[in-house]
């Protein structure tokens, strides 16, 4: 934690304690404070600043906080400032739930922005639904979820794989080797990949999962050598991905003949892998730091100016950033005397906005229409966008499950 | 069949890393009965020292090895002097103390250097493979295997051919009587602990080009090293080497036959069965008890 944040929080905690004490009788007498009765608008930031996922979530926290600061500097919303209330759930799902509850009940946040892993989102989901609040989740995820209280900013399986797979099959071949960490996200993505691959006449030569944090891939690499697949399709996350990429490079397997294509590798991972070892491989994502657009230029410039020239932006931090702006735009449409999470959600549906990746739209199922891209990593640690969808792709959280669909009314059977 | 040979080679390279880590652990335990749970963090310190030397001084991994050894040995020496030395009469407390030290070291690195994983470049002249038929052996892993043999040889010479080694063996046999002969057991302990830590540091340096360098990287490695020490027989040099080989190879072969996850479970089950029948390990050292 930075010292200034700490002082600010200590101060805020002090005043909050005082205010809490004073407002206690009012609370007991049953008077309910309206959400926007105060001079500023409290917004929860629920990103881990400590613990196992802090490495990534810290960057999301930074991007979201930067958006809030930018909005405040430009005059806020309806003349009110956004007041970020920062909680650190320390990478622990149970703490996520606890802190989300605190932000939604005690701090009366109209929205909470947060988290990276599916497990933390699933921990917060029941709280957001009970309180009928809004939780803005920026990460790509496995889909198969349809909540009226979560705003999904990241890519779904169909938004990452629909343009990617035909292109991979055409350029490299039909034999896929799947490797991922052993949890729900890789399995759901591979499930969808199999469906697409079958339609394209391809085959999966091997599918395997290693435990989280697994870091010795010598036997995996030997198996890859033996199977000789055309494409290695990975959903390894974090340190496993870093170790795999480095050992793949050390084993001198040729990315031109047998590229690794990742759904999870971003600028952050590549920084740890080293540009040389990552060079030549591919990632599919709606945003890369090297994407050329005026919005992205501003985003990257501000980010570097605020957090250091060595820092990178990536496809999750971009979503953490634009979601705050979506929230702001929804507030702009509302009567300042009457803002509630439900009203914000209803105002946000159907809204378009220029994000760094392109013009995005919030679907009625609360997921986001995005611009899929495929990037090839270069030795400088940046991705060159080599394939870009011609159109904005709509989110289909149940793409792998025919007969079910997530709509504005929630989950429906079709 | 090619796969099996390749996998046997992979097993050998895993074994050699395990060996270097376990050797330090075994020497420390064999000499002073300290179960050093901070050993994994010494590996981590070694990795970070390598990273620091490369980023700030431009030293390659191999050139950095002696410096990393000295740096981590020095850290081990200080820890032994300040904390571990006070606990020799309370062997069980050393578990708790070294566990705490491990956490402190991890957090210190996290606060001081940062939690994100660091990038260390492997040596350029060791990139590439040696290919014999279908057998593909990475030069770097070959180097690691050779280097671990070198470490074993040095340790063996140190233990059997030097005055320090003689004193060390005397202290292992009976601390009280060796002290009567004028051997300063305290000093021997400090040096041994430092040496063990230094070995862990070397292991840390050697794995940086392959693994990710993060504050928690030692935790998983130390578990395997403990298994090696237990299977090998506490305090036995030969046993440690044999057990490292055995566990490395069996892990590698199981993972290719089944898969990495089930392979690990199978290895653990095998170790449990082995310990049931040979509770003091494969090669128990013949000390008087």
């Amino acid at each position: 934690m930075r010292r200034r944040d700490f002082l600010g929080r200590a101060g805020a905690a002090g005043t909050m304690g005082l205010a809490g004490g004073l407002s206690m009788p009012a609370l007991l007498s049953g008077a309910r404070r309206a959400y926007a009765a105060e001079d500023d608008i409290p917004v929860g930031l629920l990103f881990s600043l400590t613990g196992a996922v802090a490495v990534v979530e810290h960057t999301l926290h930074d991007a979201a906080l930067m958006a809030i600061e930018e909005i405040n500097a430009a005059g806020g919303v309806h003349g009110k400032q956004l007041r970020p209330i920062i909680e650190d759930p320390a990478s622990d799902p149970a703490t996520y739930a606890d802190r989300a509850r605190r932000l939604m009940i005690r701090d009366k946040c109209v929205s909470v922005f947060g988290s990276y892993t599916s497990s933390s989102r699933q921990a917060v989901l029941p709280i957001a639904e009970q309180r009928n609040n809004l939780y803005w989740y920026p990460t790509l995820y496995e889909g198969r979820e349809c909540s009226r209280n979560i705003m999904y900013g990241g890519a779904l399986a169909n938004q990452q794989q629909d343009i990617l797979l035909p292109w991979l099959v055409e350029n490299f071949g039909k034999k896929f080797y799947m490797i991922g960490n052993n949890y729900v996200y890789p399995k759901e993505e591979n499930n969808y990949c199999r469906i697409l691959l079958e339609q394209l006449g391809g085959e999966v030569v091997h599918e395997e999962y290693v435990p989280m944090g697994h870091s010795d891939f010598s036997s995996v690499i030997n198996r890859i050598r033996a199977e000789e697949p055309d494409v290695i399709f990975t959903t390894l996350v974090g340190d496993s991905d870093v170790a795999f990429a480095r050992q793949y490079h050390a084993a001198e397997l040729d990315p031109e003949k047998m590229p690794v294509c990742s759904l999870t590798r971003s600028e952050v991972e590549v920084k740890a892998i080293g540009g040389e070892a990552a060079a030549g491989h591919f990632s599919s994502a709606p945003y890369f730091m090297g994407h050329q657009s005026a919005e992205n230029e501003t985003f990257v410039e501000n980010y570097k100016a605020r957090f250091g020239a060595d820092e990178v932006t990536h496809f999750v931090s971009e979503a953490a950033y634009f979601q705050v702006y979506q929230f702001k735009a929804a507030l702009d449409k509302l009567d300042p005397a009457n803002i509630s999470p439900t009203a914000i959600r209803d105002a946000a549906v159907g809204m378009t906005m220029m994000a760094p990746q392109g013009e995005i739209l919030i679907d009625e199922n609360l997921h986001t229409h995005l611009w899929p891209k495929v990037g090839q990593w270069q030795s400088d640690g940046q991705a060159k966008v080599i394939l870009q969808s011609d159109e904005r792709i709509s989110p289909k959280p149940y793409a792998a499950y025919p007969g079910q669909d997530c709509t504005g009314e929630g989950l429906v059977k079709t | 069949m090619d796969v099996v040979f390749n996998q046997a080679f992979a097993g050998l390279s895993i074994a050699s890393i395990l060996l270097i880590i376990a050797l330090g652990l075994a020497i420390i335990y064999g000499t002073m009965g300290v179960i050093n749970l901070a050993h994994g963090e010494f590996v981590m310190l070694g990795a970070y020292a390598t990273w620091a030397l490369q980023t700030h001084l431009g030293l390659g991994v191999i050139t950095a090895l002696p410096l990393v050894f000295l740096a981590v040995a020095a850290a081990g020496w200080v820890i032994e002097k300040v904390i571990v030395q006070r606990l020799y009469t309370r062997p069980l407390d050393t578990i708790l103390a070294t566990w705490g030290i491990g956490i402190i070291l991890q957090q210190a690195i996290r606060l001081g250097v940062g939690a994100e994983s660091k990038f260390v470049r492997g040596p350029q002249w060791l990139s590439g493979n040696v290919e014999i038929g279908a057998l593909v052996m990475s030069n770097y892993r070959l180097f690691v295997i050779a280097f671990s043999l070198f470490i074993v040889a040095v340790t063996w010479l140190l233990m059997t051919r030097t005055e320090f080694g003689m004193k060390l063996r005397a202290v292992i046999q009976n601390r009280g009587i060796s002290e009567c002969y004028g051997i300063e057991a305290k000093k021997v302990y400090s040096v041994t602990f430092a040496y063990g830590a230094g070995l862990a540091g070397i292991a840390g340096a050697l794995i940086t080009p392959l693994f990710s360098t993060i504050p928690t990287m030692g935790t998983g490695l130390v578990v395997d090293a403990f298994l090696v020490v237990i299977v090998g027989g506490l305090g036995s040099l030969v046993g440690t080497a044999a057990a490292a080989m055995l566990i490395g190879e069996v892990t590698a072969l199981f993972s290719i036959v089944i898969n990495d996850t089930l392979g690990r479970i199978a290895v653990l089950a095998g170790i449990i069965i082995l310990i049931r029948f040979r509770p003091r390990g494969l090669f128990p050292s013949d000390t008087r008890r």
Side-chain angles (χ1 to χ4, degrees), chain A residues 175-187:
Chain A
K175 281 160 69 185
F176 276 49
Y177 189 106
M178 292 173 165
I179 169 97
N181 281 112
N182 198 1
Y183 71 109
V184 56
Y185 172 77
K187 291 187 174 175

Side-chain angles (χ1 to χ4, degrees), chain A residues 9-82:
Chain A
R9 280 175 66 179
T15 24
M16 216 113 70
L18 200 65
L22 291 175
S23 64
M24 211 40 179
L27 203 71
L28 287 174
S29 68
R32 256 186 92 178
R33 244 183 332 161
Y35 273 110
E38 293 170 33
D39 298 331
D40 47 18
I41 300 167
V43 179
L45 288 185
L46 190 64
F47 295 99
S48 289
L49 303 175
T50 56
V53 292
V55 179
V56 179
E57 287 206 9
H58 202 277
T59 64
L60 310 185
H61 170 88
D62 288 352
L65 191 63
M66 187 174 95
I68 291 176
E69 288 171 355
E70 284 175 10
I71 291 166
N72 284 343
V77 190
H78 300 305
K80 293 178 180 179
Q81 296 278 294
L82 297 178

Side-chain angles (χ1 to χ4, degrees), chain B residues 162-183:
Chain B
T162 61
E163 195 190 326
F164 172 77
M166 200 167 65
K167 285 180 180 170
L168 178 65
R169 280 179 294 140
V171 174
I172 295 175
Q173 292 276 327
N174 192 320
R175 179 178 176 174
I177 291 179
S178 12
E179 277 182 330
C180 292
Y181 280 95
I183 297 173

Side-chain angles (χ1 to χ4, degrees), chain A residues 51-52 54-55 179 182 206 208-211 214-223 225-226 238-240 242-244 246-247 250-253 268-269 271-277 311, chain B residues 3 6-8 10-11 13-14 110 115-122 124 127-129 134 136-138 140-141 208-214 216 252 254-261 264:
Chain A
V55 179
I179 169 97
N182 198 1
H206 196 86
E208 96 175 282
Y209 300 95
V210 297
H214 184 82
S215 55
D216 185 10
F217 287 93
S218 45
S219 56
V220 172
I221 285 167
N222 278 334
R223 208 173 288 122
R225 269 212 186 93
D239 303 322
S240 285
V242 174
F244 176 66
R246 307 194 72 181
Q247 290 168 33
E252 291 216 309
L253 293 167
V268 178
E269 283 81 9
K271 202 171 154 195
I273 292 166
E276 211 178 297
E311 296 298 315
Chain B
V3 182
N6 275 321
Q7 200 58 20
S13 75
I14 302 169
R110 185 170 281 149
E116 59 190 278
S117 59
K118 296 296 177 202
F119 168 66
V120 179
R121 206 176 307 107
Q124 204 61 50
S127 66
N129 298 309
V136 186
M137 296 182 291
S138 114
Y140 187 73
R141 286 187 190 250
T208 45
L210 298 173
F211 290 30
S212 29
T213 304
I214 44 165
T216 48
F254 271 155
S255 14
I256 204 82
V257 176
I258 325 171
N259 66 43
D260 275 314
T261 314
R264 255 194 97 69

Side-chain angles (χ1 to χ4, degrees), chain B residues 190-272:
Chain B
S190 304
V191 176
T192 311
F193 198 88
Y195 182 71
L199 286 187
I202 285 189
L206 286 175
I207 60 176
T208 45
L210 298 173
F211 290 30
S212 29
T213 304
I214 44 165
T216 48
M217 65 189 289
T219 325
L221 291 166
V222 81
V223 173
D224 287 343
F226 266 112
L227 293 179
V228 167
V229 174
I230 291 164
V231 170
L234 300 168
S236 152
L237 208 64
V238 185
T240 308
M245 277 287 296
L246 187 72
I247 290 184
E249 286 298 340
V250 172
T251 308
L253 293 178
F254 271 155
S255 14
I256 204 82
V257 176
I258 325 171
N259 66 43
D260 275 314
T261 314
L262 289 174
R264 255 194 97 69
I265 296 172
V267 169
L268 274 175
I271 288 174
I272 292 169

Side-chain angles (χ1 to χ4, degrees), chain A residues 132-134 340-347:
Chain A
N132 202 11
N133 209 301
L134 265 196
S340 70
T342 330
I344 294 170
R345 176 191 66 206
D346 295 341

